[in-house]
Amino acid sequence: MKVKTQMKIRVSNILFSLMVLIIICECNGFRLLKLDDNIYKSIYLITIIGMLLICFIHIDIIKICRASGEFIYYYSIVMFLFLIFEYVYTTHLYGSLQTAYEYANYNKCYAFVFLAIPLFYILIIQDNFEKLMSIVILLATITLSLMLLHALCYKWYQIEILNISVYAKKLIRNDRFRMWDLFSLEGLAIIYGAYRILFVKRKKVTYIIQTVICVAALVYVEQTRMMLIALAASILVMFFMKPCKTANGILAKGLVIATVGIVNAALVIPKLIISLSRGNSIANRLIEIQFVYNVLHNQGMLGLGIISYNLQSSLYNHGIYSRVFLDDIGLIGYMARAGIWSVVLFIVPMIRMLWILLNAYKNEFTIFLWSIYIYLIITSSTLFVLDNQRILMWPFCLSLFEFCNKKYNRK
């Protein structure tokens, strides 16, 4: 029995190391090396396949997943069938315009979803929650601090110190170097940093520094308004759900509520309204919503299909910017691509997550998950977690909630 336990720990460490490699490749090696983006994508895709092979070779991992994380097991099967259906549908619809290679190349991001199986195993073996999340926020801090340094060097000296290509979606906004979607686990990292600051006394200074760096990069480099709103709301939920045992704690919460209300009313909301009204973002999103309506009206429940970039450039030819960007309108845009019925891939897990939270003991970990849940709800309007830029966060969410169900379910 002792030998078997040691084997499990060794396998979990291998899976953990491979997961770190995937995260590093997904953020293009912190953009320190001038390697082609496809090289990084090939590495993480091979690594994902390797992790899944390890899970199936060590049959006890699959048994644990089926016994303790049954939802993850069956959700992975449904996602696999969904991808096969989408390929058959798009091939039938577009013929030679949608080759198998183009379909696989564009949809390889869905391979991230299957990481929920090894991630759940990593969490179950020896409660590796803190170890896993600590490496996530560390890698986020490295990535975002480099991006922040790059933006400052560009602002002050007009030089670019990193390998930032057009593919990285760089532009100038507010007289600053702007990039978005810098790190797919950024939201999760910031929420975890806030969780450590609020609930854990150990290494609090370290997590304060890491969280401040991540937020600074979000504000100065990404300049993504919805991300700021989602994170502010999720962190405030965590703060208000934190139990207060003294009158001073209750008073502190009251002061925070008053301060946040005054600052929002006097500064944040007016600037946000001005910022939105000056740009084309709202006008273009209205055009994108109209485009979705037309697609669903003409194509029916199955939508356009999750198609390659080449097909998108011709089929999405509408809007202020010469084409619509369905990623901008979150779950609504996803329906135009994958069809109305595909929302179950998001809605069913969200219902499952809510059920887990309502049936779990209230503690620090479940409060952390409530914060993630609020973040997922808010970002579904535009920064949708199943879009290819952010989908790596989805298996983390699935595995964290199932881990909570395993450990803290009251029934």
Side-chain angles (χ1 to χ4, degrees):
M1 186 67 185
K2 186 176 180 181
V3 175
K4 187 175 181 180
T5 303
Q6 289 175 346
M7 187 238 4
K8 286 183 180 179
I9 295 171
R10 186 165 61 248
V11 171
S12 67
N13 287 338
I14 292 171
L15 293 174
F16 184 87
S17 300
L18 292 175
M19 180 59 65
V20 173
L21 176 62
I22 289 170
I23 297 172
I24 293 173
C25 288
E26 200 271 341
C27 66
N28 286 29
F30 311 118
R31 295 188 174 90
L32 292 172
L33 300 175
K34 292 186 177 182
L35 296 178
D36 187 82
D37 296 331
N38 291 321
I39 295 176
Y40 289 112
K41 289 180 173 61
S42 298
I43 294 173
Y44 75 58
L45 192 60
I46 292 169
T47 307
I48 291 171
I49 294 171
M51 291 180 71
L52 293 176
L53 285 175
I54 291 173
C55 291
F56 282 100
I57 290 171
H58 293 278
I59 196 67
D60 59 323
I61 298 178
I62 299 300
K63 287 180 179 178
I64 289 174
C65 188
R66 289 191 66 175
S68 303
E70 188 178 15
F71 181 83
I72 288 176
Y73 179 80
Y74 288 109
Y75 183 79
S76 299
I77 294 174
V78 170
M79 180 60 73
F80 180 73
L81 295 175
F82 164 76
L83 293 173
I84 292 176
F85 172 82
E86 283 295 325
Y87 171 68
V88 173
Y89 173 66
T90 54
T91 303
H92 171 74
L93 203 60
Y94 304 108
S96 60
L97 295 175
Q98 177 68 85
T99 65
Y101 172 78
E102 287 177 327
Y103 178 82
N105 186 50
Y106 182 73
N107 291 294
K108 58 182 175 290
C109 61
Y110 284 96
F112 286 134
V113 175
F114 303 106
L115 290 174
I117 293 174
L119 273 171
F120 179 72
Y121 182 76
I122 290 171
L123 289 168
I124 286 293
I125 299 300
Q126 292 192 330
D127 280 358
N128 277 321
F129 162 66
E130 288 193 3
K131 180 182 176 182
L132 180 65
M133 294 308 304
S134 295
I135 198 67
V136 167
I137 193 171
L138 175 62
L139 294 175
T141 303
I142 294 171
T143 303
L144 297 176
S145 60
L146 287 169
M147 296 301 171
L148 185 59
L149 180 62
H150 181 93
L152 291 172
C153 287
Y154 185 85
K155 172 71 174 178
W156 295 336
Y157 307 110
Q158 287 72 54
I159 60 172
E160 298 187 34
I161 62 172
L162 297 176
N163 179 39
I164 307 297
S165 63
V166 176
Y167 178 79
K169 305 167 189 172
K170 65 178 182 180
L171 52 81
I172 304 298
R173 176 195 273 185
N174 301 323
D175 197 31
R176 300 199 302 268
F177 192 100
R178 189 206 178 194
M179 295 170 286
W180 62 95
D181 297 326
L182 296 180
F183 190 70
S184 54
L185 299 177
E186 178 183 20
L188 186 61
I190 292 174
I191 293 171
Y192 179 70
Y195 160 78
R196 293 286 306 208
I197 294 167
L198 286 172
F199 292 103
V200 184
K201 294 181 179 179
R202 293 179 289 108
K203 299 181 180 179
K204 184 164 288 192
V205 175
T206 301
Y207 285 97
I208 290 174
I209 294 171
Q210 291 177 326
T211 306
V212 168
I213 289 172
C214 292
V215 173
L218 172 59
V219 173
Y220 190 82
V221 185
E222 286 184 274
Q223 305 176 50
T224 306
R225 294 174 290 244
M226 183 53 69
M227 177 76 87
L228 284 168
I229 293 170
L231 286 171
S234 60
I235 292 171
L236 282 173
V237 165
M238 195 189 311
F239 176 77
F240 293 134
M241 289 185 72
K242 181 181 179 181
C244 286
K245 298 180 180 179
T246 64
N248 289 336
I250 297 172
L251 179 61
K253 283 192 176 183
L255 290 173
V256 169
I257 293 173
T259 303
V260 170
I262 293 170
V263 170
N264 280 328
L267 299 174
V268 178
I269 294 176
K271 287 185 177 181
L272 186 61
I273 293 172
I274 293 171
S275 174
L276 291 171
S277 61
R278 284 179 178 174
N280 292 323
S281 58
I282 291 181
N284 201 57
R285 279 172 170 80
L286 292 174
I287 293 173
E288 288 162 350
I289 292 172
Q290 180 63 44
F291 177 81
V292 171
Y293 172 80
N294 293 336
V295 167
L296 296 177
H297 178 74
N298 298 325
Q299 300 287 134
M301 291 187 63
L302 299 180
L304 292 169
I306 306 179
I307 52 179
S308 65
Y309 288 112
N310 292 333
L311 267 176
Q312 287 181 25
S313 61
S314 59
L315 292 176
Y316 295 4
N317 188 23
H318 299 273
I320 294 172
Y321 304 108
S322 298
R323 61 160 290 182
V324 295
F325 295 90
L326 295 180
D327 294 350
D328 288 344
I329 48 176
L331 184 58
I332 295 174
Y334 190 77
M335 287 192 295
R337 299 198 301 272
I340 295 176
W341 69 280
S342 67
V343 298
V344 299
L345 297 174
F346 177 71
I347 298 298
V348 171
M350 290 296 288
I351 294 172
R352 166 76 175 175
M353 290 174 187
L354 182 60
W355 180 87
I356 289 171
L357 290 173
L358 294 175
N359 288 280
Y361 291 105
K362 184 180 177 182
N363 53 32
E364 296 170 359
F365 182 68
T366 54
I367 292 174
F368 168 67
L369 293 186
W370 271 111
S371 185
I372 293 175
Y373 193 79
I374 296 299
Y375 174 86
L376 290 173
I377 290 175
I378 295 175
T379 54
S380 65
S381 63
T382 174
L383 305 172
F384 189 43
V385 72
L386 285 178
D387 286 338
N388 56 10
Q389 303 100 320
R390 289 167 286 275
I391 196 169
L392 180 57
M393 184 174 172
W394 190 232
F396 280 83
C397 296
L398 293 173
S399 57
L400 284 169
F401 277 85
E402 291 303 318
F403 172 66
C404 174
N405 184 55
K406 168 68 176 175
K407 190 172 182 180
Y408 298 114
N409 195 304
R410 289 176 295 184
K411 295 183 178 179

